Amino acid sequence: MTHPTHTFSGPGRCTLVGAGPGDPDLLTIKALKAIQAATVLLVDDLVSEAIQALIPTSARIIHVGKRGGCQSTPQAFIEKLILMAVREGENVVRLKGGDPFVFGRGGEEVEHLAQAGIHVDVVNGITAGLAAVSSLGVPLTHREHAHGVVFITGHPKPGSSGTDWRTLAATAYSARLTLVIYMGVNGVQHIQQELLTGLPPGTPVAIIQNASLPTQRHAITTLDSLQDTILDAQLASPSVIVVGDVFQGLLTLQQSTPASQAALG
Ligand code: SAH
């Protein structure tokens, strides 16, 4: 009887882990445990270097984001890599920025792997919008200013009908909602124009880039100056744009501060 040259170690497992907005101190303990137990990790661009430094040196890291201006790894290929690794008995962690189920296509990956018979455990992460707003000391809801909050993408799936910003603006105004817009910087001209149909021009807005990282910057402005502020301050992706009266306090403070002192945070 011949013996195989390698042993098949049986099915491994896959965990979809939220890495949070970037600061490793904002990882959950469960996320940290999963990262430290992983043998193979598929890592997105938005996962900070400080978090990648927590990965065991023995683990294999596969970068699947848009690096150096290249196209990101096709979704189907990522899923194939996960499938192969799990079948080889690896403990696979799919590491995604923020929360894996807030945009970022975590849901699609779980569905496709389920169809292939792979169960995926999910570990929440702190989503960028939460961390960004809290870092300014501002609550997303406040009984005086906002009764609720909407997390919304500024960059819907290509070919889909897109967001009805006009209805959203009217609803945000009447229901007093804070709007947290992800992936909105590139399409900001359209978003600003449409939101102004239902929200007052003086509605406070914050733009926060690189939330929770040492490179974090932000600007506070009004809805009618949103695009100009982004251009003037050279704010870029990854940023969240947050619209609502919860920033009235910061806006008033800024407007009462001489321009030379109202430096970008
Ligand atoms: N799953 C992620 C979102 C992925 S979509 C989460 O829950 O945070 C990518 C978008 O998230 C970026 O375009 C940006 O709008 C936002 N984002 C991610 N990390 C960010 C950060 N550190 N600071 C500001 N915005 C961030």
Side-chain angles (χ1 to χ4, degrees):
M1 183 180 157
T2 55
H3 293 280
T5 50
H6 64 274
T7 50
F8 177 66
S9 41
R13 52 181 303 188
C14 179
T15 314
L16 179 60
V17 177
D23 178 354
D25 284 354
L26 290 179
L27 274 176
T28 65
I29 293 171
K30 199 165 181 174
L32 182 62
K33 283 181 180 168
I35 291 169
Q36 288 176 338
T39 56
V40 173
L41 296 99
L42 289 92
V43 179
D44 273 358
D45 274 350
L46 278 174
V47 177
S48 69
E49 284 177 18
I51 287 174
Q52 292 188 44
L54 300 170
I55 296 174
T57 48
S58 56
R60 202 166 108 227
I61 304 175
I62 306 170
H63 292 280
V64 291
K66 296 178 195 131
R67 293 170 70 81
C70 301
Q71 283 294 309
S72 54
T73 313
Q75 195 63 31
F77 188 63
I78 295 175
E79 287 152 16
K80 206 168 160 188
L81 285 175
I82 295 175
L83 208 64
M84 277 163 46
V86 171
R87 287 187 178 147
E88 283 165 11
E90 304 285 359
N91 185 349
V92 180
V93 161
R94 173 72 174 105
L95 198 53
K96 292 176 91 73
D99 185 273
F101 277 176
V102 178
F103 311 121
R105 307 177 68 178
E108 290 171 43
E109 280 178 32
V110 169
E111 276 167 22
H112 293 154
L113 291 165
Q115 281 162 14
I118 306 281
H119 170 77
V120 179
D121 289 312
V122 181
V123 178
N124 285 119
I126 294 182
T127 189
L130 284 182
V133 177
S134 303
S135 75
L136 303 183
V138 169
L140 277 170
T141 66
H142 187 296
R143 286 205 297 184
E144 299 294 326
H145 304 294
H147 297 166
V149 53
V150 175
F151 292 92
I152 186 138
T153 173
H155 183 73
K157 185 178 175 183
S160 70
S161 58
T163 302
D164 181 350
W165 294 103
R166 291 179 178 226
T167 302
L168 187 65
T171 311
Y173 185 68
S174 58
R176 307 188 74 187
L177 305 175
T178 306
L179 303 180
V180 184
I181 306 167
Y182 289 63
M183 296 175 273
V185 170
N186 293 337
V188 69
Q189 185 181 12
H190 174 70
I191 294 171
Q192 174 179 335
Q193 225 169 41
E194 296 291 286
L195 288 182
L196 279 170
T197 63
L199 284 165
T203 305
V205 182
I207 310 106
I208 305 121
Q209 179 178 346
N210 290 336
S212 88
L213 291 163
T215 48
Q216 173 168 337
R217 299 162 70 231
H218 77 271
I220 307 290
T221 186
T222 47
L223 187 56
D224 57 350
S225 302
L226 174 56
Q227 187 185 21
D228 290 343
T229 304
I230 288 179
L231 292 174
D232 289 349
Q234 297 185 351
L235 288 159
S237 182
S239 292
V240 284
I241 299 170
V242 192
V243 181
D245 284 341
V246 288
F247 291 106
Q248 190 57 58
L250 283 186
L251 184 65
T252 307
L253 192 69
Q254 176 170 291
Q255 286 168 342
S256 63
T257 310
S260 58
Q261 288 175 32
L264 194 73

